[in-house]
Amino acid sequence: MKGTVGELGEFGLIDRLTSRLTTTPAVRLGPGDDAAVVAAPDRRVVASTDLLLEGRHFRRDWSTAYDVGRKSAAQNLADIAAMGAVPTALLLGLVVPAQLPVTWAAELMDGIRDESQVAGAAVVGGDVVRGDSITVAITALGDLRGHEPVTRSGAHPGDIVAYTGWLGWSAAGHAVLSRGFRSPRAFVEAHRRPEPPYHAGPAAAGLGATAMTDVSDGLVADLGHIAQASTVRIDLRSDLVDVPSQMSDIGQAVGIDPLQWVFTGGEDHAIVATFPPDVKLPARWKVIGEVRGPSAQPQVTVDGAPWTGDGGWDHFGDA
């Protein structure tokens, strides 16, 4: 697979990319027509979209094309799961420079395809455009299977706060890569290729979750959206969160308290939810706080006090 996407041409590139795709029973009509057709048995479609820009969300010297594909699909599929829905399909918008090797674009598609398969979804279409740098735009679709969506606005005073997945691993991996290192590998891989617990979203809905989100911008920031929407205060306990010994070692090496990564590091896409206090959670869920209030000043506190460290990710904040 030699040459550049410019040499291959738009329609040649589309053919090359779509030939690598697989399908699922939910896909009634896949790529190749004006639009795809995806079954929606629930008669409601959960939809989310997101962008990854080269140099801002990924670097080609840090991540392979396959890594970028897995990451771009994961962050969108996690949004679907965080609503309590089951992912069904992805649409890809791809902006690439003409001189980009065809192999890079093909490996990107392989990553998107494989991550979609993990979540039970399929890539059903999209578009490619020439541009100065790489932009990956994904729209994810999902099915509620007869259940109500779990939104950010349903948290009640007395609810417990619990999460499943990883917290702070991607941020720790970013810190390692930023200093020119490639190990500990588990944290570097967590930054390159997050592993959201897709099954946990629908499962949490079945357990009676009152509010839910995935941790994309940081635990404090994302729970802050729940606090605002539910007009409550959420208090987290630092002694209940997991800080692996290797994360502590990284923090010591770079002079950062690892709790900073746990509370404000994004892109792990753990699922965090509030539940009624009497719920029996499976072992994979870890309780880390409680909903207080209602509050005239909705916020997230840590150990009873406002968080004083850096905040979570803001696309229009300081770079």
Side-chain angles (χ1 to χ4, degrees), residues 163-171 186-187 189-191 193-197 214-216 218-219 241-244 247 261-263 265-272 284 286:
Y163 80 94
T164 184
W166 314 106
L167 290 175
W169 285 57
S170 177
F187 295 91
E189 290 303 310
H191 176 73
R193 195 186 301 177
E195 298 181 4
D214 75 306
V215 183
S216 55
L219 182 64
V241 299
D242 288 325
V243 180
M247 186 185 291
W261 294 326
V262 170
F263 286 124
E267 295 193 335
D268 286 301
H269 303 288
I271 299 293
V272 62
R284 63 176 175 266
K286 185 168 182 60

Side-chain angles (χ1 to χ4, degrees), residues 71-154:
K71 183 175 185 175
S72 61
Q75 69 180 37
N76 286 272
L77 293 164
D79 284 336
I80 300 300
M83 297 298 293
V86 176
T88 56
L90 290 186
L91 296 163
L92 168 65
L94 182 61
V95 182
V96 293
Q99 65 272 23
L100 184 76
V102 174
T103 52
W104 199 96
E107 289 168 10
L108 173 82
M109 182 60 88
D110 287 348
I112 295 172
R113 176 202 63 211
D114 289 354
E115 191 65 30
S116 298
Q117 288 180 329
V118 171
V123 182
V124 296
D127 192 20
V128 295
V129 178
R130 175 176 175 169
D132 295 331
S133 60
I134 301 171
T135 300
V136 183
I138 298 235
T139 297
L141 307 177
D143 183 55
L144 287 164
R145 295 189 174 179
H147 303 291
E148 290 303 309
V150 183
T151 67
R152 297 171 174 175
S153 61

Side-chain angles (χ1 to χ4, degrees), residues 1 4-20 94-97 100-106 109 127-130:
M1 194 185 301
T4 67
V5 297
E7 293 168 341
L8 190 60
E10 176 185 356
F11 297 107
L13 178 61
I14 291 173
D15 288 342
R16 187 67 57 84
L17 296 182
T18 55
S19 69
R20 313 178 79 82
L94 182 61
V95 182
V96 293
L100 184 76
V102 174
T103 52
W104 199 96
M109 182 60 88
D127 192 20
V128 295
V129 178
R130 175 176 175 169

Side-chain angles (χ1 to χ4, degrees), residues 114-314:
D114 289 354
E115 191 65 30
S116 298
Q117 288 180 329
V118 171
V123 182
V124 296
D127 192 20
V128 295
V129 178
R130 175 176 175 169
D132 295 331
S133 60
I134 301 171
T135 300
V136 183
I138 298 235
T139 297
L141 307 177
D143 183 55
L144 287 164
R145 295 189 174 179
H147 303 291
E148 290 303 309
V150 183
T151 67
R152 297 171 174 175
S153 61
H156 303 292
D159 284 352
I160 58 173
V161 180
Y163 80 94
T164 184
W166 314 106
L167 290 175
W169 285 57
S170 177
H174 183 273
V176 170
L177 288 164
S178 296
R179 286 156 178 80
F181 297 100
R182 296 295 185 269
S183 63
R185 188 171 181 82
F187 295 91
V188 171
E189 290 303 310
H191 176 73
R192 290 171 171 162
R193 195 186 301 177
E195 298 181 4
Y198 300 118
H199 64 280
L207 289 167
T210 54
M212 184 160 53
T213 188
D214 75 306
V215 183
S216 55
D217 296 326
L219 182 64
V220 171
D222 288 314
L223 279 174
H225 299 315
I226 289 180
Q228 288 286 339
S230 301
T231 62
V232 296
R233 178 169 71 89
I234 295 175
D235 187 51
L236 303 176
R237 285 179 48 185
S238 60
D239 63 318
L240 294 181
V241 299
D242 288 325
V243 180
S245 59
Q246 278 194 314
M247 186 185 291
S248 296
D249 293 341
I250 297 170
Q252 185 174 10
V254 302
I256 295 177
D257 183 347
L259 285 176
Q260 178 78 28
W261 294 326
V262 170
F263 286 124
T264 67
E267 295 193 335
D268 286 301
H269 303 288
I271 299 293
V272 62
T274 58
F275 295 92
D278 58 350
V279 70
K280 302 297 183 183
L281 292 176
R284 63 176 175 266
W285 287 89
K286 185 168 182 60
V287 177
I288 55 171
E290 183 181 356
V291 178
R292 308 282 179 84
S295 176
Q297 186 179 2
Q299 62 178 316
V300 177
T301 56
V302 178
D303 298 327
W307 174 253
T308 57
D310 292 337
W313 180 253
D314 180 347

